[in-house]
Amino acid sequence: MIKLIASDMDGTLLGKKMEIPQENIEAIRYATDKGITFMVATGRGATEAIPVLEEANITCPMITVNGAEAFDETGKKLFTVGLEKETALSIITLLKEAGVYFEIATDKGIFSDNPHLRIENAATMLANQLPHLTFKMAIAMASTHLAMLEVDYVKDYQELIDDNAITILKVIVFEQQGDKILKPLRQKVETIPDIVVTSSFPNNIEINHMNAQKGIAVKKYAEKLGISMDEVMTIGDNFNDASMLELAGVSFAMGNAEEGVKKIARFETDNHDEGGVAKAIRRAIDESL
């Protein structure tokens, strides 16, 4: 019997408008009414995840930044797994040499060094998800969406390296040309010790400490509740979800998931804009998967 459900957010729990569809909200309530704990396990930082959950009136535990942080349902931080500053500096130096845009997630929020590129990259992501949008419309939507999310700007990321009060959790690279640039770049980044490189969209790579993975974090939280991984259900769509899909007794890949992710998950559900999460939750409960 399932006792814990962990769901990714972007491309999974969220619809194309970056909000939680009512169908998914009702399925989460269906699960919690049966005593099942629901949590999100996202690549987003807490400051990016909370507004979306609050809008849907959902209060739940969170695994954020790909497993670098976890919070209980009251918002109490349970653990942090950050990058060593020397490692972060090596990553930053390599990415600057490559000339790509990237952001840094920390325990004090998300930081960017270029507001214009931040909007442009968010617009590209929206345009890819909603092909009917003109890029001008995508820029307008991205600007509105990003205005709701907390972000800090620095002139140089060296400021984060020098600040001993800040823990760097993840480095997120965005590249509109996708694999053409990201594949060789990823190979270079992976030569840096003690890191793991994943992806949540075709146009990004995400760099965490090797122990900051969703699967590790979900397992830690399940153990805290006295739940075995056989009693855990996970839902995701991309390669930063792979570790939790592999470990869970019941795992669903979204219909829109990467093909490699579908091969990892035990079951498949519909797309994120077709209530795929809701259908997976109800199927798992009603069929006692």
Side-chain angles (χ1 to χ4, degrees), residues 148-273:
M148 297 171 61
L149 305 177
E150 292 184 25
V151 63
D152 293 299
Y153 292 99
V154 290
K155 290 184 178 180
D156 194 309
Y157 287 131
Q158 185 65 42
E159 296 176 37
L160 305 181
I161 299 292
D162 295 338
D163 191 338
N164 292 328
I166 287 179
T167 300
I168 294 176
L169 304 176
K170 181 176 74 169
V171 181
I172 318 103
V173 183
F174 300 92
E175 175 50 55
Q176 296 177 25
Q177 296 185 66
D179 264 359
K180 179 180 178 181
I181 302 297
L182 291 178
K183 188 174 181 179
L185 178 60
R186 178 173 183 156
Q187 291 172 346
K188 291 181 180 179
V189 172
E190 287 178 333
T191 64
I192 298 172
D194 300 325
I195 58 102
V196 61
V197 184
T198 58
S199 174
S200 58
F201 290 101
N203 70 332
N204 86 344
I205 57 173
E206 304 181 4
I207 308 160
N208 286 82
H209 188 282
M210 64 183 300
N211 292 327
Q213 300 185 52
K214 291 185 181 183
I216 295 172
V218 169
K219 189 172 186 291
K220 279 185 184 179
Y221 193 77
E223 288 173 348
K224 178 180 180 296
L225 299 180
I227 295 172
S228 75
M229 289 305 292
D230 287 339
E231 300 169 311
V232 174
M233 171 181 172
T234 55
I235 316 170
D237 74 306
N238 223 307
F239 289 102
N240 64 335
D241 302 315
S243 60
M244 70 175 184
L245 295 174
E246 288 173 336
L247 290 176
V250 177
S251 56
F252 277 85
M254 303 300 294
N256 52 281
E258 295 290 332
E259 288 304 314
V261 175
K262 290 181 180 180
K263 292 177 181 178
I264 294 168
R266 289 158 178 77
F267 303 96
E268 185 175 334
T269 186
D270 285 347
N271 289 5
H272 69 125
D273 58 337

Side-chain angles (χ1 to χ4, degrees), residues 6 18 36 40 73 98 100 171 176 205 214 276:
M18 299 296 181
I36 300 169
V40 294
E73 65 278 3
V100 294
V171 181
Q176 296 177 25
I205 57 173
K214 291 185 181 183

Side-chain angles (χ1 to χ4, degrees), residues 117-137:
L117 285 179
R118 178 173 168 80
I119 293 173
E120 186 176 316
N121 278 281
T124 299
M125 183 182 72
L126 283 170
N128 288 337
Q129 291 186 335
L130 302 170
H132 65 280
L133 287 183
T134 65
F135 194 68
K136 185 175 181 180
M137 291 169 63

